């Protein structure tokens, strides 16, 4: 029997995909004009989603090349993937 195992990787722990540096300045995305709406954070919203399904975006800036990369809530995504895997395979992880 071929057992599936979920990929165990965290993109936040990977080096910069531009220069390979592993030193980052962490922060959040910011949109000052959105303060009128009660939030200054940017959100990811899937085309099929609603505002309630939006995820706050975090950001990291490479200390070497200044590349900025955005991340949705990784722990939330990881938990959803784990649940989907458990439901599809019947294996408890």
């Amino acid at each position: 029997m071929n057992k599936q195992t979920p990929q165990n990787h965290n993109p936040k722990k990977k080096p910069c995909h531009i220069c390979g540096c592993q030193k980052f300045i962490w922060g959040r995305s910011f949109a000052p004009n959105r303060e009128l709406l009660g939030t200054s954070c940017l959100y990811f919203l899937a085309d099929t989603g609603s505002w309630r399904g939006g995820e706050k975006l975090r950001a990291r800036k490479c200390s070497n090349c200044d590349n900025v990369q955005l991340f949705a809530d990784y722990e939330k995504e990881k938990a959803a993937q784990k649940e989907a895997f458990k439901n599809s395979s019947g294996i408890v992880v």
Side-chain angles (χ1 to χ4, degrees):
M1 182 175 196
N2 199 3
K3 289 186 181 180
Q4 292 179 344
T5 55
Q7 279 189 322
N8 189 14
H9 73 284
N10 183 341
K12 289 182 178 180
K13 294 183 179 180
K14 297 203 181 235
C16 174
H17 64 275
I18 301 295
C19 72
C21 181
Q22 294 185 316
K23 293 178 84 176
F24 300 99
I25 300 167
W26 283 92
R28 61 187 173 111
S29 51
F30 181 70
N33 293 337
R34 295 191 49 105
E35 288 177 1
L36 298 173
L37 300 173
T39 181
S40 60
C41 293
L42 295 178
Y43 287 81
F44 168 76
L45 181 62
D47 287 341
T48 57
S50 67
W51 280 112
R52 291 182 183 186
E55 297 174 65
K56 274 188 184 179
L57 295 177
R58 297 272 303 150
R60 73 177 187 184
K61 178 181 170 185
C62 177
S63 297
N64 184 54
C65 72
D66 295 329
N67 175 59
V68 174
Q69 192 172 7
L70 298 174
F71 295 90
D73 183 352
Y74 177 73
E75 293 304 319
K76 180 178 174 185
E77 180 184 334
K78 188 169 104 176
Q81 288 175 350
K82 195 174 190 179
E83 185 65 26
F85 177 75
K86 184 176 87 173
N87 291 337
S88 68
S89 66
I91 298 171
V92 177
V93 250

